[in-house]
Amino acid sequence: MTARQVFPGRSAITLLLLASCVMPVAAGAETLQGALAKAYRSNPTLTGARAEQRANDENVPIRKADGRPALEATGSYSESILKPTISFTSPQRTVSANAQVTVPIYSGGAVRNGVKAAKTRVEAGRANLRGTEASVFSQVVGAYMDVIRDSAIVSLNRANVNVLDVNLQASSDRFEVGDLTRTDVAQSESRLALARSDLQIAEANLITSRENYIALVGDAPVDLEPPPPLPGLPASPGDAVALALRDNPDIAAANKAREAAGYDVRVAKAGPMPKLSAFSTAGYTNFLNTQDYLDQQGNPGTGPQVNKQAAAGVQLTIPLYQGGRPAAQVRQSQALQSQAMEQEIEVERGVIAQTRSAFASWQASLQTIQSNQKAVDAADLSLEGVRAENSVGSRTILDILNAEQEALNAKVQLVFARRNAYVAGFSLLAAMGHAEADDLSFDTGALYDPLINYERVDDKWFDWDFDRAPQPQATRTVDTPTQNANVPAGLAQQP
């Protein structure tokens, strides 16, 4: 029975993070829930994707504007520098103003289908935003587990260096009394030097993992708590694929992109269709008392200096021939629609492969944990036996060194296996579409809702309704301290 069956209405990640809430947390320690919440608030990949979606929202009012009335006005002032020699009535100065209102009535369906295409792409953008959230969260989980893994490996290597240092001192003492040879001492020195080299590499890897954590989360890792178990994972690859086909955001985005491409074909087919619009114009001209008139006898006279006019009507435009452009645009849109269909299948294939691979990796990692745990237990037992046998002279110093190295290797492999199992399990949840913001129980207030901005801009009509100048939402990490290889006591105790 899965966690979703036991707790209906609760997602797997919600249960994961609720479980983390009941685990004892030391003061000042960081939990996986806290790291994910920080990344959700300030990761630049996420904040940038939200800005991109807000830009995508504006395509809807842009396409709606094609079907709305348009009003324009023009004004001019002219001064005659040189009057025409054959004209006796040309004005010296003229002020004119004109206004025109145009109302589209019928455009062959281009506006209607253009708006539908824009709305569909907004829905695709929301699905892509979900995918970005899942991708960032997966990276944060990986970085979180990398810090824990590398901290444990540094602790193991430091303990190994200390043990080998004691072994070298003991070998040197026994050499002084003639109990061991120079070869035994040289072997101990060699192993200690190699162990110190391994420790330096492990410390460098830990620093790299911490800096990567900072890049994703925005803060330095401080005493990371062990992650809670991952509930709600599927029982079989078939179950995982069924959930992925239903909930994966990449599939949803590809589906909406294909649907929008279908509307684009309809927009293109409106190219050779008739266009009907209504219009109204008004004009005003003032000659500023510089307009001369002639009477019937040809003598100068006076007349009106202002001219006003207005008209209203409808205009029908019937394209007869456009050089083949409309047909080419339709064929182009159909080809892009075909591309969107193929891409939808491509995304579906990729999600299925990703889900099955993540399930296999997760299962393999679980089995690897069991095998490595047995290896650790056996290596510890072997090391104790070799040390006991060395004390009675039946084992050499080299045997002890080899046994210690085998014990260290087994423990390091166990740390790797635990990290890989957790990351693979979370990647499986992400592939199924269950590792997004809506699945997380954050204690940071309301989640970002892209629908709020869409509803805000959907029916805006005013040409001067600008937003304020944007400001960065993500936090910078330039002030974070340079990381070192110090390992908190809590992590140092982990195997």
Side-chain angles (χ1 to χ4, degrees):
M1 180 175 294
T2 67
R4 288 182 183 271
Q5 294 170 327
V6 176
F7 300 94
R10 293 287 190 182
S11 69
I13 306 300
T14 300
L15 296 176
L16 180 160
L17 294 173
L18 287 175
S20 70
C21 293
V22 300
M23 297 179 62
V25 179
E30 181 72 280
T31 65
L32 179 58
Q33 182 192 29
L36 291 170
K38 289 179 180 179
Y40 183 77
R41 290 193 304 266
S42 62
N43 182 277
T45 301
L46 268 178
T47 54
R50 292 165 188 161
E52 181 182 9
Q53 180 58 21
R54 292 194 295 272
N56 193 18
D57 291 340
E58 300 294 345
N59 287 324
V60 175
I62 288 174
R63 298 310 295 264
K64 284 184 175 181
D66 294 336
R68 291 171 176 169
L71 172 63
E72 63 179 4
T74 60
S76 66
Y77 170 81
S78 65
E79 182 90 21
S80 180
I81 299 176
L82 180 62
K83 285 188 176 184
T85 57
I86 61 174
S87 176
F88 300 100
T89 61
S90 177
Q92 182 71 27
R93 290 179 295 276
T94 303
V95 173
S96 63
N98 294 277
Q100 178 173 341
V101 178
T102 304
V103 182
I105 298 176
Y106 177 72
S107 59
V111 174
R112 180 180 68 255
N113 289 297
V115 172
K116 289 181 179 179
K119 288 183 176 180
T120 304
R121 288 193 168 92
V122 166
E123 294 176 359
R126 292 173 191 162
N128 285 327
L129 182 58
R130 290 173 48 210
T132 302
E133 290 173 353
S135 176
V136 170
F137 292 150
S138 295
Q139 294 178 52
V140 171
V141 169
Y144 190 96
M145 296 304 299
D146 287 347
V147 173
I148 292 178
R149 176 200 63 194
D150 293 339
S151 296
I153 292 175
V154 167
S155 297
L156 290 171
N157 277 277
R158 284 177 179 170
N160 186 52
V161 168
N162 292 335
V163 169
L164 292 177
D165 192 37
V166 173
N167 284 348
L168 176 59
Q169 185 63 43
S171 297
S172 299
D173 293 342
R174 293 177 65 181
F175 171 74
E176 293 294 335
V177 298
D179 193 20
L180 295 178
T181 66
R182 168 59 65 182
T183 301
D184 296 321
V185 177
Q187 289 171 342
S188 297
E189 290 176 343
S190 175
R191 287 300 177 87
L192 178 58
L194 290 175
R196 286 173 174 165
S197 175
D198 291 341
L199 174 59
Q200 291 172 348
I201 295 174
E203 290 176 342
N205 290 338
L206 175 57
I207 293 174
T208 300
S209 295
R210 285 181 169 176
E211 294 293 350
N212 186 46
Y213 180 97
I214 292 174
L216 290 167
V217 177
D219 284 335
V222 179
D223 196 10
L224 303 185
E225 288 292 313
L230 289 172
L233 290 166
S236 68
D239 294 341
V241 170
L243 289 171
L245 293 176
R246 186 190 70 185
D247 299 333
N248 185 279
D250 294 335
I251 292 180
N255 178 273
K256 291 298 180 182
R258 173 189 54 78
E259 185 179 340
Y263 289 121
D264 290 340
V265 174
R266 299 181 187 181
V267 173
K269 287 182 177 179
M273 299 293 289
K275 310 295 189 295
L276 179 65
S277 61
F279 67 89
S280 177
T281 62
Y284 172 85
T285 304
N286 193 322
F287 300 119
L288 302 176
N289 296 319
T290 63
Q291 175 67 61
D292 295 328
Y293 292 90
L294 299 177
D295 58 20
Q296 293 181 353
Q297 288 76 31
N299 298 316
T302 60
Q305 299 294 316
V306 174
N307 181 34
K308 299 178 181 178
Q309 61 182 5
V314 295
Q315 179 177 335
L316 177 64
T317 303
I318 303 177
L320 299 179
Y321 180 67
Q322 302 178 55
R325 180 188 299 272
Q329 291 174 332
V330 171
R331 294 193 301 271
Q332 182 184 57
S333 299
Q334 289 173 329
L336 293 175
Q337 182 185 22
S338 178
Q339 180 189 32
M341 291 177 178
E342 303 304 326
Q343 289 177 340
E344 182 182 17
I345 297 175
E346 177 187 6
V347 170
E348 182 182 89
R349 283 186 177 187
V351 168
I352 291 174
Q354 178 187 2
T355 303
R356 290 172 177 170
S357 299
F359 185 90
S361 298
W362 172 57
Q363 289 292 315
S365 298
L366 294 179
Q367 296 173 1
T368 302
I369 289 176
Q370 296 178 355
S371 299
N372 285 334
Q373 186 62 60
K374 292 180 180 179
V376 168
D377 296 339
D380 287 340
L381 182 60
S382 173
L383 178 59
E384 292 179 6
V386 169
R387 285 173 174 169
E389 293 170 3
N390 174 262
S391 65
V392 297
S394 61
R395 291 282 187 171
T396 65
I397 292 297
L398 182 60
D399 293 329
I400 294 179
L401 297 175
N402 289 337
E404 288 173 344
Q405 188 64 44
E406 290 177 0
L408 173 64
N409 292 341
K411 292 175 181 178
V412 169
Q413 291 301 317
L414 178 59
V415 171
F416 269 96
R418 288 175 174 171
R419 180 265 178 198
N420 292 341
Y422 199 89
V423 172
F426 196 91
S427 297
L428 178 57
L429 291 174
M432 295 188 303
H434 294 172
E436 304 156 16
D438 288 341
D439 299 314
L440 305 178
S441 57
F442 290 153
D443 297 329
T444 58
L447 298 179
Y448 181 83
D449 185 1
L451 188 61
I452 294 176
N453 182 75
Y454 173 79
E455 293 176 344
R456 180 180 69 90
V457 302
D458 182 30
D459 288 322
K460 285 185 176 291
W461 286 63
F462 187 45
D463 287 352
W464 298 90
D465 193 1
F466 304 151
D467 286 342
R468 292 178 296 177
Q471 298 294 329
Q473 300 299 313
T475 56
R476 304 188 65 187
T477 60
V478 65
D479 295 328
T480 57
T482 301
Q483 296 300 288
N484 54 48
N486 293 334
V487 179
L491 293 178
Q493 297 172 359
Q494 298 182 21

